[in-house]
Amino acid sequence: MRIVVTGGAGFIGSNFVRLVLAEHPGDKVVVLDKLTYAGNLDNLRDVSGDPRYSFVKGDICDPEAVDEVAAGADAIVNFAAETHVDRSISGPEDFIRTDVIGTHVLLDAVRARGVARFLQISTDEVYGDIAEGASVETDVLRPSSPYSASKASGELLVLAYRRTYGTPIVMTRSSNNYGPWQYPEKIVPLFVTNALDRQALPIYGDGRNVRDWIYVDDNCRALDLVLREGADGEIYNVGGGNEVANLDLTRGILAELGLGEELVRYVTDRPGHDRRYALDCAKVRALGWEPRVSFAEGLARTVAWYGEHREWWEKIKSGEWRSYYERQYHGLTT
Ligand code: NAD
Ligand code: DAU
């Protein structure tokens, strides 16, 4: 199978490319990525010599670039997106452009080129927060942030193309991923790398917001399964089943490093901050998937990885990241 992976130079996309090349010797992977601040070819360096892998720099909003890679593709997996909620609050335009218009451009190419499968990578954030119980795939969408509204808009286009044109799609909504190669703006890599440097850990609000954490390899195995065996037109929730409050997550990271709570700082809450997400994953489990990495093991592996890969994140933190951090956290250091 020749698979086009958009956004393959980002966090989950690069882990997915690695998994496909390792698990499916007959497959070829073409990554299409704009290399925004979050895209990083270092994430794919270890597969760059594989003759089954190739990289194209391009924007999913550019119909010509998309058409070029779609020609001859058996499947397109769309990871490409603006993904950080805080950045969507300070500037929603790029989110609407990539997450909505980019999805539309891809769908048109799937139609025009007769691509047999389109997997849209979406998020549990489209459901909005849920006080108790767990979201199921048929729930109404109630996105809270410009990020989740853009992802929900992309989803609606995917579903409309399926209904109107019979476009062959599947879609996943996954919970919070963590693991290697995650840009250090999201809470896990930000707090791990800050703690390694004995810098402050800025907790929004009361630290009691809950996320369901999934180790990135577990998510990638689910995505690969849905790509190959998911029922046409269906949506699958993918969650790790690890509901953890941010303060407990922070304590877990600090404990891995043998640190106390001296670095913790409570800062102004995120506007519109969703309180809790939880997913019912019966549908993807019925395909034969289950998570393999416990939260304790995943967190230990993740903290160790960032400790062993300082050269990767120190390079990032000396570039665009620094001005973002100063804007977002008003120069908070220790
Ligand atoms: P990321 O921010 O690490 O990477 C995004 C990638 O997309 C980058 O390589 C970037 O260069 C690329 N990109 C951005 N705009 C582009 C454009 N216009 N054209 C081509 N490439 C472009 O993101 P991630 O955390 O790996 O998330 C990947 C996907 O998974 C996203 O669709 C996101 O909404 C979804 N998702 C993420 C999580 C999570 O916890 N990280 C959870 C659920 C769903
Ligand atoms: O739920 C899936 C989503 O998870 C994905 O769709 C998004 O792409 C991904 O970014 C992530 O969104 P979150 O907003 O949940 O992730 P983030 O790491 O930004 O925040 C996780 C929690 O930690 C959230 O409750 C806000 C809090 N937080 C975050 C940061 C960056 C803090 O308390 N302090 C921080 O500095």
Side-chain angles (χ1 to χ4, degrees), residues 261-322:
E261 290 185 31
E262 305 78 40
L263 296 173
V264 170
R265 301 284 179 281
Y266 290 90
V267 300
T268 310
D269 206 355
R270 171 186 281 175
H273 197 172
D274 279 338
R275 194 65 175 168
R276 172 179 175 266
Y277 303 132
L279 290 176
D280 180 322
C281 298
K283 202 166 159 185
V284 72
R285 281 174 178 267
L287 290 180
W289 174 87
E290 59 179 7
R292 291 181 186 159
V293 182
S294 70
F295 184 65
E297 185 191 339
L299 197 62
R301 275 196 212 173
T302 303
V303 172
W305 189 89
Y306 288 91
E308 289 156 10
H309 290 79
R310 268 188 172 271
E311 77 298 341
W312 180 80
W313 56 264
E314 281 178 349
K315 192 165 145 194
I316 294 171
K317 279 188 152 187
S318 63
E320 186 273 352
W321 180 92
R322 185 148 298 283

Short mmCIF file of all heavy atoms in Angstrom, two decimals, residues 261-322:
data_model
loop_
_atom_site.label_atom_id
_atom_site.label_comp_id
_atom_site.label_asym_id
_atom_site.label_seq_id
_atom_site.Cartn_x
_atom_site.Cartn_y
_atom_site.Cartn_z
N GLU A 261 7.60 19.49 45.08
CA GLU A 261 6.68 20.38 44.36
C GLU A 261 7.15 21.83 44.29
O GLU A 261 6.38 22.72 43.95
CB GLU A 261 5.29 20.29 44.99
CG GLU A 261 4.66 18.95 44.70
CD GLU A 261 3.22 18.81 45.17
OE1 GLU A 261 2.50 19.84 45.18
OE2 GLU A 261 2.83 17.69 45.53
N GLU A 262 8.44 22.05 44.59
CA GLU A 262 8.94 23.44 44.64
C GLU A 262 8.78 24.18 43.31
O GLU A 262 8.63 25.40 43.28
CB GLU A 262 10.44 23.48 45.01
CG GLU A 262 10.83 22.77 46.30
CD GLU A 262 10.89 21.25 46.14
OE1 GLU A 262 11.37 20.77 45.10
OE2 GLU A 262 10.44 20.56 47.06
N LEU A 263 8.82 23.46 42.20
CA LEU A 263 8.76 24.13 40.88
C LEU A 263 7.34 24.45 40.43
O LEU A 263 7.15 25.17 39.45
CB LEU A 263 9.44 23.24 39.82
CG LEU A 263 10.94 22.98 39.99
CD1 LEU A 263 11.42 21.94 38.96
CD2 LEU A 263 11.73 24.28 39.83
N VAL A 264 6.33 23.94 41.14
CA VAL A 264 4.94 24.14 40.72
C VAL A 264 4.51 25.58 40.93
O VAL A 264 4.73 26.16 41.99
CB VAL A 264 4.00 23.18 41.49
CG1 VAL A 264 2.54 23.55 41.23
CG2 VAL A 264 4.27 21.73 41.11
N ARG A 265 3.91 26.18 39.87
CA ARG A 265 3.34 27.54 39.97
C ARG A 265 1.93 27.49 39.42
O ARG A 265 1.70 26.99 38.33
CB ARG A 265 4.13 28.54 39.10
CG ARG A 265 5.60 28.68 39.44
CD ARG A 265 5.85 29.50 40.70
NE ARG A 265 7.27 29.57 40.99
CZ ARG A 265 7.99 28.60 41.57
NH1 ARG A 265 7.41 27.48 41.94
NH2 ARG A 265 9.28 28.74 41.79
N TYR A 266 0.98 28.07 40.17
CA TYR A 266 -0.39 28.18 39.67
C TYR A 266 -0.51 29.49 38.91
O TYR A 266 -0.17 30.54 39.45
CB TYR A 266 -1.38 28.12 40.83
CG TYR A 266 -1.43 26.73 41.43
CD1 TYR A 266 -0.59 26.37 42.48
CD2 TYR A 266 -2.29 25.77 40.91
CE1 TYR A 266 -0.61 25.09 43.01
CE2 TYR A 266 -2.32 24.47 41.43
CZ TYR A 266 -1.47 24.15 42.48
OH TYR A 266 -1.48 22.88 42.97
N VAL A 267 -0.93 29.41 37.65
CA VAL A 267 -1.01 30.62 36.82
C VAL A 267 -2.45 30.79 36.33
O VAL A 267 -3.30 29.90 36.49
CB VAL A 267 -0.02 30.56 35.62
CG1 VAL A 267 1.42 30.44 36.11
CG2 VAL A 267 -0.37 29.42 34.67
N THR A 268 -2.71 31.93 35.70
CA THR A 268 -4.06 32.26 35.20
C THR A 268 -4.58 31.12 34.32
O THR A 268 -3.85 30.59 33.49
CB THR A 268 -4.00 33.55 34.35
OG1 THR A 268 -3.30 34.52 35.11
CG2 THR A 268 -5.39 34.05 33.99
N ASP A 269 -5.86 30.80 34.51
CA ASP A 269 -6.44 29.67 33.78
C ASP A 269 -6.56 29.97 32.28
O ASP A 269 -6.64 31.13 31.87
CB ASP A 269 -7.85 29.38 34.35
CG ASP A 269 -8.25 27.92 34.14
OD1 ASP A 269 -7.49 27.17 33.48
OD2 ASP A 269 -9.32 27.54 34.64
N ARG A 270 -6.59 28.89 31.50
CA ARG A 270 -6.86 28.98 30.05
C ARG A 270 -8.33 29.39 29.86
O ARG A 270 -9.21 28.76 30.45
CB ARG A 270 -6.60 27.59 29.46
CG ARG A 270 -7.02 27.42 28.02
CD ARG A 270 -6.86 25.95 27.58
NE ARG A 270 -5.49 25.62 27.27
CZ ARG A 270 -5.07 24.38 26.94
NH1 ARG A 270 -5.92 23.37 26.92
NH2 ARG A 270 -3.81 24.15 26.67
N PRO A 271 -8.61 30.41 29.04
CA PRO A 271 -10.03 30.77 28.81
C PRO A 271 -10.79 29.59 28.20
O PRO A 271 -10.27 28.90 27.30
CB PRO A 271 -9.94 31.92 27.78
CG PRO A 271 -8.53 32.41 27.85
CD PRO A 271 -7.68 31.26 28.29
N GLY A 272 -12.00 29.34 28.71
CA GLY A 272 -12.83 28.26 28.15
C GLY A 272 -12.31 26.87 28.45
O GLY A 272 -12.72 25.90 27.80
N HIS A 273 -11.43 26.75 29.43
CA HIS A 273 -10.72 25.50 29.73
C HIS A 273 -11.68 24.32 29.99
O HIS A 273 -12.41 24.32 30.98
CB HIS A 273 -9.87 25.74 30.99
CG HIS A 273 -8.80 24.74 31.22
ND1 HIS A 273 -7.86 24.90 32.20
CD2 HIS A 273 -8.51 23.57 30.62
CE1 HIS A 273 -7.03 23.87 32.19
NE2 HIS A 273 -7.41 23.05 31.24
N ASP A 274 -11.64 23.32 29.14
CA ASP A 274 -12.49 22.13 29.33
C ASP A 274 -12.07 21.40 30.60
O ASP A 274 -10.88 21.20 30.86
CB ASP A 274 -12.35 21.18 28.13
CG ASP A 274 -13.22 21.61 26.95
OD1 ASP A 274 -14.21 22.35 27.17
OD2 ASP A 274 -12.91 21.22 25.81
N ARG A 275 -13.07 21.00 31.40
CA ARG A 275 -12.78 20.43 32.72
C ARG A 275 -12.35 18.97 32.63
O ARG A 275 -11.41 18.54 33.29
CB ARG A 275 -14.04 20.56 33.60
CG ARG A 275 -13.81 20.32 35.07
CD ARG A 275 -12.90 21.39 35.67
NE ARG A 275 -12.76 21.26 37.11
CZ ARG A 275 -11.88 21.91 37.84
NH1 ARG A 275 -11.03 22.74 37.28
NH2 ARG A 275 -11.82 21.74 39.14
N ARG A 276 -13.08 18.20 31.86
CA ARG A 276 -12.77 16.75 31.85
C ARG A 276 -13.14 16.16 30.50
O ARG A 276 -14.19 16.50 29.93
CB ARG A 276 -13.59 16.05 32.93
CG ARG A 276 -13.53 14.53 32.90
CD ARG A 276 -14.36 13.90 34.03
NE ARG A 276 -14.38 12.46 33.94
CZ ARG A 276 -15.35 11.76 33.32
NH1 ARG A 276 -16.38 12.38 32.73
NH2 ARG A 276 -15.29 10.44 33.29
N TYR A 277 -12.28 15.27 29.99
CA TYR A 277 -12.62 14.46 28.82
C TYR A 277 -12.58 13.00 29.23
O TYR A 277 -11.74 12.60 30.04
CB TYR A 277 -11.60 14.62 27.68
CG TYR A 277 -11.37 16.02 27.17
CD1 TYR A 277 -10.08 16.50 27.00
CD2 TYR A 277 -12.44 16.84 26.81
CE1 TYR A 277 -9.85 17.77 26.50
CE2 TYR A 277 -12.20 18.11 26.30
CZ TYR A 277 -10.91 18.57 26.16
OH TYR A 277 -10.67 19.83 25.66
N ALA A 278 -13.46 12.19 28.64
CA ALA A 278 -13.42 10.74 28.83
C ALA A 278 -14.08 10.10 27.63
O ALA A 278 -15.08 10.61 27.11
CB ALA A 278 -14.15 10.34 30.12
N LEU A 279 -13.52 9.00 27.17
CA LEU A 279 -14.01 8.35 25.94
C LEU A 279 -14.49 6.93 26.19
O LEU A 279 -13.83 6.17 26.91
CB LEU A 279 -12.87 8.29 24.90
CG LEU A 279 -12.42 9.59 24.27
CD1 LEU A 279 -11.23 9.34 23.35
CD2 LEU A 279 -13.56 10.24 23.50
N ASP A 280 -15.59 6.57 25.55
CA ASP A 280 -16.02 5.18 25.48
C ASP A 280 -15.36 4.58 24.23
O ASP A 280 -15.61 5.04 23.11
CB ASP A 280 -17.56 5.14 25.36
CG ASP A 280 -18.08 3.72 25.29
OD1 ASP A 280 -17.43 2.87 24.65
OD2 ASP A 280 -19.15 3.47 25.87
N CYS A 281 -14.53 3.57 24.42
CA CYS A 281 -13.75 3.04 23.29
C CYS A 281 -14.19 1.63 22.88
O CYS A 281 -13.41 0.88 22.27
CB CYS A 281 -12.26 3.05 23.64
SG CYS A 281 -11.65 4.71 23.94
N ALA A 282 -15.43 1.28 23.20
CA ALA A 282 -15.92 -0.08 22.89
C ALA A 282 -15.80 -0.39 21.39
O ALA A 282 -15.48 -1.52 21.01
CB ALA A 282 -17.37 -0.22 23.35
N LYS A 283 -16.03 0.63 20.57
CA LYS A 283 -16.08 0.37 19.12
C LYS A 283 -14.69 -0.01 18.57
O LYS A 283 -14.57 -0.97 17.80
CB LYS A 283 -16.58 1.65 18.45
CG LYS A 283 -17.17 1.44 17.10
CD LYS A 283 -17.94 2.70 16.70
CE LYS A 283 -18.10 2.76 15.20
NZ LYS A 283 -18.74 4.03 14.79
N VAL A 284 -13.66 0.72 18.98
CA VAL A 284 -12.32 0.36 18.47
C VAL A 284 -11.82 -0.93 19.14
O VAL A 284 -11.13 -1.74 18.52
CB VAL A 284 -11.31 1.54 18.63
CG1 VAL A 284 -10.91 1.77 20.07
CG2 VAL A 284 -10.07 1.29 17.78
N ARG A 285 -12.23 -1.16 20.38
CA ARG A 285 -11.85 -2.41 21.05
C ARG A 285 -12.47 -3.60 20.33
O ARG A 285 -11.88 -4.68 20.26
CB ARG A 285 -12.26 -2.39 22.52
CG ARG A 285 -11.29 -1.57 23.39
CD ARG A 285 -11.80 -1.43 24.81
NE ARG A 285 -10.87 -0.70 25.65
CZ ARG A 285 -9.91 -1.23 26.41
NH1 ARG A 285 -9.75 -2.54 26.45
NH2 ARG A 285 -9.11 -0.47 27.13
N ALA A 286 -13.66 -3.42 19.75
CA ALA A 286 -14.32 -4.52 19.02
C ALA A 286 -13.55 -4.89 17.75
O ALA A 286 -13.70 -5.99 17.22
CB ALA A 286 -15.76 -4.13 18.67
N LEU A 287 -12.67 -3.98 17.29
CA LEU A 287 -11.81 -4.32 16.14
C LEU A 287 -10.61 -5.15 16.59
O LEU A 287 -9.83 -5.62 15.76
CB LEU A 287 -11.28 -3.05 15.46
CG LEU A 287 -12.24 -2.17 14.68
CD1 LEU A 287 -11.49 -0.96 14.10
CD2 LEU A 287 -12.90 -2.95 13.55
N GLY A 288 -10.43 -5.28 17.92
CA GLY A 288 -9.32 -6.11 18.42
C GLY A 288 -8.20 -5.30 19.04
O GLY A 288 -7.14 -5.83 19.35
N TRP A 289 -8.42 -3.99 19.23
CA TRP A 289 -7.37 -3.14 19.81
C TRP A 289 -7.55 -2.99 21.31
O TRP A 289 -8.68 -2.97 21.82
CB TRP A 289 -7.45 -1.74 19.18
CG TRP A 289 -6.51 -0.74 19.80
CD1 TRP A 289 -5.21 -0.51 19.47
CD2 TRP A 289 -6.82 0.19 20.86
NE1 TRP A 289 -4.68 0.49 20.26
CE2 TRP A 289 -5.66 0.93 21.13
CE3 TRP A 289 -7.96 0.45 21.62
CZ2 TRP A 289 -5.59 1.92 22.10
CZ3 TRP A 289 -7.90 1.44 22.60
CH2 TRP A 289 -6.73 2.17 22.82
N GLU A 290 -6.44 -2.92 22.02
CA GLU A 290 -6.47 -2.44 23.40
C GLU A 290 -5.13 -1.79 23.70
O GLU A 290 -4.12 -2.14 23.09
CB GLU A 290 -6.77 -3.57 24.40
CG GLU A 290 -5.79 -4.69 24.37
CD GLU A 290 -6.12 -5.77 25.40
OE1 GLU A 290 -7.19 -5.70 26.02
OE2 GLU A 290 -5.28 -6.67 25.57
N PRO A 291 -5.10 -0.83 24.63
CA PRO A 291 -3.82 -0.20 24.95
C PRO A 291 -2.90 -1.21 25.64
O PRO A 291 -3.37 -2.06 26.39
CB PRO A 291 -4.20 0.95 25.88
CG PRO A 291 -5.58 0.70 26.33
CD PRO A 291 -6.23 -0.24 25.38
N ARG A 292 -1.59 -1.10 25.38
CA ARG A 292 -0.63 -2.03 25.99
C ARG A 292 0.23 -1.37 27.06
O ARG A 292 0.85 -2.06 27.86
CB ARG A 292 0.33 -2.56 24.90
CG ARG A 292 -0.34 -3.48 23.91
CD ARG A 292 0.70 -3.97 22.89
NE ARG A 292 0.06 -4.73 21.84
CZ ARG A 292 0.60 -4.95 20.64
NH1 ARG A 292 1.79 -4.45 20.35
NH2 ARG A 292 -0.05 -5.66 19.74
N VAL A 293 0.35 -0.04 27.00
CA VAL A 293 1.29 0.65 27.89
C VAL A 293 0.50 1.32 29.03
O VAL A 293 -0.32 2.19 28.78
CB VAL A 293 2.10 1.70 27.09
CG1 VAL A 293 3.12 2.39 27.99
CG2 VAL A 293 2.80 1.03 25.91
N SER A 294 0.78 0.90 30.25
CA SER A 294 0.08 1.51 31.40
C SER A 294 0.57 2.95 31.55
O SER A 294 1.65 3.32 31.05
CB SER A 294 0.40 0.73 32.67
OG SER A 294 1.75 0.96 33.03
N PHE A 295 -0.20 3.75 32.27
CA PHE A 295 0.18 5.16 32.44
C PHE A 295 1.51 5.26 33.19
O PHE A 295 2.39 6.05 32.82
CB PHE A 295 -0.93 5.92 33.16
CG PHE A 295 -0.62 7.38 33.28
CD1 PHE A 295 -0.53 8.19 32.15
CD2 PHE A 295 -0.39 7.96 34.52
CE1 PHE A 295 -0.22 9.54 32.25
CE2 PHE A 295 -0.09 9.31 34.63
CZ PHE A 295 -0.01 10.10 33.50
N ALA A 296 1.68 4.42 34.22
CA ALA A 296 2.93 4.49 35.01
C ALA A 296 4.13 4.16 34.12
O ALA A 296 5.15 4.87 34.14
CB ALA A 296 2.85 3.52 36.18
N GLU A 297 3.99 3.12 33.32
CA GLU A 297 5.12 2.72 32.46
C GLU A 297 5.36 3.78 31.38
O GLU A 297 6.50 4.15 31.08
CB GLU A 297 4.80 1.37 31.81
CG GLU A 297 5.96 0.81 31.01
CD GLU A 297 5.56 -0.39 30.16
OE1 GLU A 297 4.55 -1.04 30.47
OE2 GLU A 297 6.28 -0.65 29.16
N GLY A 298 4.27 4.28 30.77
CA GLY A 298 4.40 5.28 29.71
C GLY A 298 5.06 6.55 30.21
O GLY A 298 5.91 7.13 29.54
N LEU A 299 4.67 6.97 31.42
CA LEU A 299 5.24 8.21 31.96
C LEU A 299 6.73 8.01 32.26
O LEU A 299 7.56 8.88 31.95
CB LEU A 299 4.47 8.65 33.21
CG LEU A 299 4.70 10.08 33.63
CD1 LEU A 299 4.23 11.06 32.55
CD2 LEU A 299 3.98 10.40 34.94
N ALA A 300 7.06 6.84 32.82
CA ALA A 300 8.48 6.57 33.13
C ALA A 300 9.31 6.56 31.84
O ALA A 300 10.37 7.18 31.75
CB ALA A 300 8.61 5.23 33.86
N ARG A 301 8.79 5.90 30.79
CA ARG A 301 9.49 5.86 29.51
C ARG A 301 9.65 7.26 28.93
O ARG A 301 10.70 7.61 28.38
CB ARG A 301 8.65 5.09 28.48
CG ARG A 301 8.82 3.61 28.50
CD ARG A 301 8.24 3.10 27.20
NE ARG A 301 7.65 1.78 27.35
CZ ARG A 301 6.96 1.17 26.40
NH1 ARG A 301 6.75 1.74 25.24
NH2 ARG A 301 6.48 -0.03 26.59
N THR A 302 8.59 8.06 29.03
CA THR A 302 8.59 9.40 28.44
C THR A 302 9.59 10.32 29.14
O THR A 302 10.37 11.01 28.50
CB THR A 302 7.15 9.99 28.49
OG1 THR A 302 6.29 9.09 27.81
CG2 THR A 302 7.08 11.36 27.86
N VAL A 303 9.56 10.30 30.47
CA VAL A 303 10.49 11.15 31.22
C VAL A 303 11.93 10.73 30.89
O VAL A 303 12.80 11.58 30.65
CB VAL A 303 10.21 11.07 32.74
CG1 VAL A 303 11.29 11.79 33.54
CG2 VAL A 303 8.82 11.65 33.06
N ALA A 304 12.16 9.41 30.81
CA ALA A 304 13.51 8.93 30.48
C ALA A 304 13.91 9.39 29.08
O ALA A 304 15.05 9.83 28.85
CB ALA A 304 13.56 7.41 30.60
N TRP A 305 12.98 9.33 28.13
CA TRP A 305 13.30 9.69 26.74
C TRP A 305 13.74 11.16 26.66
O TRP A 305 14.76 11.46 26.02
CB TRP A 305 12.10 9.45 25.82
CG TRP A 305 12.45 9.60 24.37
CD1 TRP A 305 12.92 8.63 23.53
CD2 TRP A 305 12.39 10.82 23.59
NE1 TRP A 305 13.15 9.16 22.27
CE2 TRP A 305 12.84 10.50 22.29
CE3 TRP A 305 12.02 12.13 23.87
CZ2 TRP A 305 12.90 11.45 21.27
CZ3 TRP A 305 12.10 13.08 22.85
CH2 TRP A 305 12.54 12.73 21.56
N TYR A 306 13.00 12.06 27.31
CA TYR A 306 13.38 13.48 27.23
C TYR A 306 14.70 13.72 27.95
O TYR A 306 15.51 14.56 27.53
CB TYR A 306 12.25 14.39 27.76
CG TYR A 306 11.09 14.44 26.77
CD1 TYR A 306 10.04 13.53 26.87
CD2 TYR A 306 11.09 15.34 25.70
CE1 TYR A 306 9.01 13.53 25.94
CE2 TYR A 306 10.06 15.34 24.77
CZ TYR A 306 9.03 14.43 24.89
OH TYR A 306 8.02 14.43 23.96
N GLY A 307 14.95 12.93 29.00
CA GLY A 307 16.24 13.04 29.69
C GLY A 307 17.39 12.62 28.78
O GLY A 307 18.48 13.20 28.82
N GLU A 308 17.13 11.64 27.93
CA GLU A 308 18.19 11.12 27.04
C GLU A 308 18.28 11.85 25.71
O GLU A 308 19.16 11.55 24.91
CB GLU A 308 17.91 9.62 26.75
CG GLU A 308 18.14 8.72 27.95
CD GLU A 308 17.33 7.42 27.86
OE1 GLU A 308 16.75 7.16 26.78
OE2 GLU A 308 17.27 6.71 28.87
N HIS A 309 17.33 12.75 25.42
CA HIS A 309 17.31 13.43 24.12
C HIS A 309 17.32 14.94 24.27
O HIS A 309 16.61 15.66 23.58
CB HIS A 309 16.10 12.98 23.30
CG HIS A 309 16.22 11.55 22.84
ND1 HIS A 309 15.96 10.49 23.66
CD2 HIS A 309 16.60 11.03 21.65
CE1 HIS A 309 16.17 9.37 23.00
NE2 HIS A 309 16.56 9.66 21.78
N ARG A 310 18.20 15.41 25.15
CA ARG A 310 18.32 16.85 25.38
C ARG A 310 18.62 17.60 24.09
O ARG A 310 18.12 18.70 23.85
CB ARG A 310 19.44 17.13 26.37
CG ARG A 310 18.98 17.19 27.81
CD ARG A 310 20.11 17.65 28.71
NE ARG A 310 19.60 17.88 30.04
CZ ARG A 310 19.09 19.05 30.46
NH1 ARG A 310 19.08 20.10 29.67
NH2 ARG A 310 18.61 19.16 31.67
N GLU A 311 19.49 17.00 23.23
CA GLU A 311 19.89 17.72 22.01
C GLU A 311 18.67 18.01 21.14
O GLU A 311 18.61 19.05 20.50
CB GLU A 311 20.98 16.96 21.25
CG GLU A 311 20.57 15.74 20.42
CD GLU A 311 19.94 14.58 21.21
OE1 GLU A 311 20.12 14.50 22.45
OE2 GLU A 311 19.26 13.73 20.59
N TRP A 312 17.66 17.13 21.17
CA TRP A 312 16.44 17.32 20.36
C TRP A 312 15.64 18.52 20.87
O TRP A 312 15.29 19.42 20.12
CB TRP A 312 15.59 16.04 20.39
CG TRP A 312 14.33 16.16 19.59
CD1 TRP A 312 14.20 16.05 18.22
CD2 TRP A 312 13.02 16.45 20.08
NE1 TRP A 312 12.89 16.25 17.86
CE2 TRP A 312 12.14 16.50 18.97
CE3 TRP A 312 12.49 16.68 21.36
CZ2 TRP A 312 10.77 16.75 19.09
CZ3 TRP A 312 11.13 16.94 21.48
CH2 TRP A 312 10.29 16.97 20.36
N TRP A 313 15.36 18.55 22.18
CA TRP A 313 14.48 19.63 22.66
C TRP A 313 15.21 20.92 23.00
O TRP A 313 14.61 22.00 22.95
CB TRP A 313 13.58 19.16 23.81
CG TRP A 313 14.25 18.58 25.03
CD1 TRP A 313 14.46 17.25 25.28
CD2 TRP A 313 14.75 19.28 26.18
NE1 TRP A 313 15.06 17.09 26.50
CE2 TRP A 313 15.23 18.32 27.08
CE3 TRP A 313 14.81 20.63 26.54
CZ2 TRP A 313 15.80 18.65 28.32
CZ3 TRP A 313 15.37 20.96 27.78
CH2 TRP A 313 15.86 19.98 28.65
N GLU A 314 16.50 20.85 23.28
CA GLU A 314 17.23 22.11 23.55
C GLU A 314 17.30 22.96 22.27
O GLU A 314 17.20 24.18 22.32
CB GLU A 314 18.62 21.83 24.10
CG GLU A 314 18.58 21.49 25.59
CD GLU A 314 19.94 21.16 26.18
OE1 GLU A 314 20.91 20.98 25.42
OE2 GLU A 314 20.02 21.08 27.43
N LYS A 315 17.43 22.28 21.12
CA LYS A 315 17.44 22.99 19.84
C LYS A 315 16.09 23.70 19.64
O LYS A 315 16.02 24.86 19.26
CB LYS A 315 17.67 21.96 18.73
CG LYS A 315 17.99 22.51 17.37
CD LYS A 315 18.56 21.37 16.53
CE LYS A 315 18.16 21.44 15.08
NZ LYS A 315 18.44 20.20 14.37
N ILE A 316 15.01 23.00 19.91
CA ILE A 316 13.67 23.60 19.76
C ILE A 316 13.51 24.77 20.73
O ILE A 316 13.06 25.85 20.35
CB ILE A 316 12.57 22.54 20.03
CG1 ILE A 316 12.60 21.46 18.95
CG2 ILE A 316 11.20 23.21 20.10
CD1 ILE A 316 11.71 20.27 19.25
N LYS A 317 13.90 24.55 21.96
CA LYS A 317 13.66 25.58 22.98
C LYS A 317 14.54 26.82 22.80
O LYS A 317 14.31 27.83 23.46
CB LYS A 317 13.85 24.99 24.38
CG LYS A 317 12.62 24.20 24.87
CD LYS A 317 12.77 23.80 26.33
CE LYS A 317 11.45 23.65 27.03
NZ LYS A 317 11.58 23.42 28.47
N SER A 318 15.51 26.75 21.90
CA SER A 318 16.33 27.95 21.66
C SER A 318 15.80 28.74 20.46
O SER A 318 16.31 29.81 20.14
CB SER A 318 17.79 27.56 21.44
OG SER A 318 17.87 26.77 20.27
N GLY A 319 14.75 28.25 19.79
CA GLY A 319 14.25 28.93 18.59
C GLY A 319 12.93 29.65 18.84
O GLY A 319 12.77 30.36 19.84
N GLU A 320 11.95 29.45 17.92
CA GLU A 320 10.63 30.11 17.98
C GLU A 320 9.98 29.89 19.33
O GLU A 320 9.24 30.73 19.85
CB GLU A 320 9.73 29.57 16.86
CG GLU A 320 8.39 30.26 16.71
CD GLU A 320 7.25 29.72 17.60
OE1 GLU A 320 7.43 28.68 18.26
OE2 GLU A 320 6.20 30.35 17.66
N TRP A 321 10.22 28.73 19.90
CA TRP A 321 9.61 28.34 21.17
C TRP A 321 9.77 29.42 22.24
O TRP A 321 8.85 29.70 22.99
CB TRP A 321 10.26 27.03 21.65
CG TRP A 321 9.72 26.53 22.96
CD1 TRP A 321 8.70 25.66 23.14
CD2 TRP A 321 10.18 26.89 24.27
NE1 TRP A 321 8.48 25.44 24.47
CE2 TRP A 321 9.38 26.19 25.18
CE3 TRP A 321 11.18 27.73 24.76
CZ2 TRP A 321 9.54 26.29 26.56
CZ3 TRP A 321 11.34 27.85 26.14
CH2 TRP A 321 10.53 27.13 27.02
N ARG A 322 10.98 30.04 22.27
CA ARG A 322 11.28 30.97 23.37
C ARG A 322 10.36 32.19 23.35
O ARG A 322 9.81 32.58 24.38
CB ARG A 322 12.76 31.39 23.28
CG ARG A 322 13.23 32.25 24.42
CD ARG A 322 14.69 32.02 24.74
NE ARG A 322 14.97 30.65 25.16
CZ ARG A 322 14.69 30.15 26.36
NH1 ARG A 322 14.10 30.90 27.27
NH2 ARG A 322 14.99 28.89 26.64
#
